[in-house]
Amino acid sequence: DDKILQFEGVSIYKDDVSNLRDDEWLNDNDISFVYELLEAYQLTKLSRKMARRAYGKPANPHTILLLRPSMVFLLAQSRGDEVALLKGVLPPLEKADFIFLPVNDNSDPELVEGGSHWSLIVISILDDKAFVIDTLDAANHREARHIVKQVGYYLGNPSIDIEELKVPQQINGSDCGILVSQISAILAGKLVNAKDDHTIDFTMKQYGISAIDGRIWVM
């Protein structure tokens, strides 16, 4: 009865909308909704760009995969020898060039909406590099390294380097989720609009990010 919207694969409930108020904490469903939006609009643009360039010229090579928070949590909770069994359960990570992974610090699978902080990892398969993005001074440092190791197990690639990006920092304890959503949109946009054979700059120095504007944007 609390469901107010169905968008692609995500059902939105009253509590999810309430989380968009100032000083509220975004949950898995809120971030999944943002990722559905990005797939429906930003990544569709990339698909069309690839289709246009396929006629007579090489297509844009960037395949972007936005993993939902529940999928990242499943990856985090699997033991090293179980990760390979997730093939067929998770989307095919091995077919992506860039993987976006929103990371939560909840370590208890029995605790619904547990944890207290969101961060983001973007893995460039092309470069064997994981870009770690944390808006609270590396609060998810341990969780981020664990997820990168898990992806390495999945791909059979233990040599993924980690680079921590300097990004705008949150000014309270509740804006991590919306900032992860905004930064995901910015970086996905950089990939979608990148010119062929050009280096993609993931730095965020030129961006001023407002959490309030982000909450309004999602609403």
Side-chain angles (χ1 to χ4, degrees), residues 90-177:
L90 295 177
L93 308 186
E94 66 277 7
K95 293 184 178 180
D97 295 320
F98 295 91
I99 307 170
F100 285 61
L101 305 101
V103 178
N104 188 270
D105 63 353
N106 179 22
S107 60
D108 185 354
E110 301 297 326
L111 187 60
V112 178
E113 295 188 9
S116 60
H117 185 54
W118 289 104
S119 59
L120 176 67
I121 300 170
V122 181
I123 295 182
S124 171
I125 303 298
L126 303 173
D127 303 306
D128 289 331
K129 180 174 287 188
F131 298 95
V132 175
I133 297 153
D134 199 321
T135 60
L136 193 59
D137 195 25
N140 276 0
H141 179 81
R142 180 175 60 86
E143 290 81 2
R145 288 187 172 274
H146 175 63
I147 287 293
V148 173
K149 183 185 294 185
Q150 295 291 84
V151 173
Y153 282 139
Y154 180 99
L155 297 173
N157 179 10
S159 61
I160 299 176
D161 292 329
I162 294 178
E163 178 178 337
E164 296 186 3
L165 292 183
K166 291 184 178 180
V167 295
Q169 297 290 289
Q170 62 195 81
I171 58 174
N172 57 26
S174 58
D175 283 340
C176 51

Side-chain angles (χ1 to χ4, degrees), residues 37-48 64-66 188 192:
L37 282 174
L38 296 181
E39 281 190 351
Y41 298 108
Q42 274 193 315
L43 302 193
T44 297
K45 177 181 176 182
L46 175 58
S47 297
R48 291 173 179 167
I64 304 168
L65 179 60
L66 307 179
V192 167

Side-chain angles (χ1 to χ4, degrees), residues 59-97:
N60 189 302
H62 306 313
T63 302
I64 304 168
L65 179 60
L66 307 179
L67 274 192
R68 304 301 187 263
S70 58
M71 299 174 185
V72 179
F73 188 70
L74 177 62
L75 189 60
Q77 293 299 311
S78 301
R79 294 197 305 266
D81 57 350
E82 294 176 338
V83 173
L85 300 178
L86 295 178
K87 293 187 177 182
V89 177
L90 295 177
L93 308 186
E94 66 277 7
K95 293 184 178 180
D97 295 320

Side-chain angles (χ1 to χ4, degrees), residues 184-196:
S184 294
I186 290 169
L187 297 184
K190 284 191 174 191
L191 292 171
V192 167
N193 294 301
K195 295 181 180 179
D196 297 345

Side-chain angles (χ1 to χ4, degrees), residues 15-22 24 26 30 178 214-216 218-219:
D15 286 347
D16 301 325
V17 177
S18 296
N19 294 338
L20 297 175
R21 294 180 298 188
D22 187 24
E24 295 291 333
L26 267 62
D30 293 307
I178 193 63
R215 292 177 185 273
I216 295 170
V218 178
M219 180 68 78

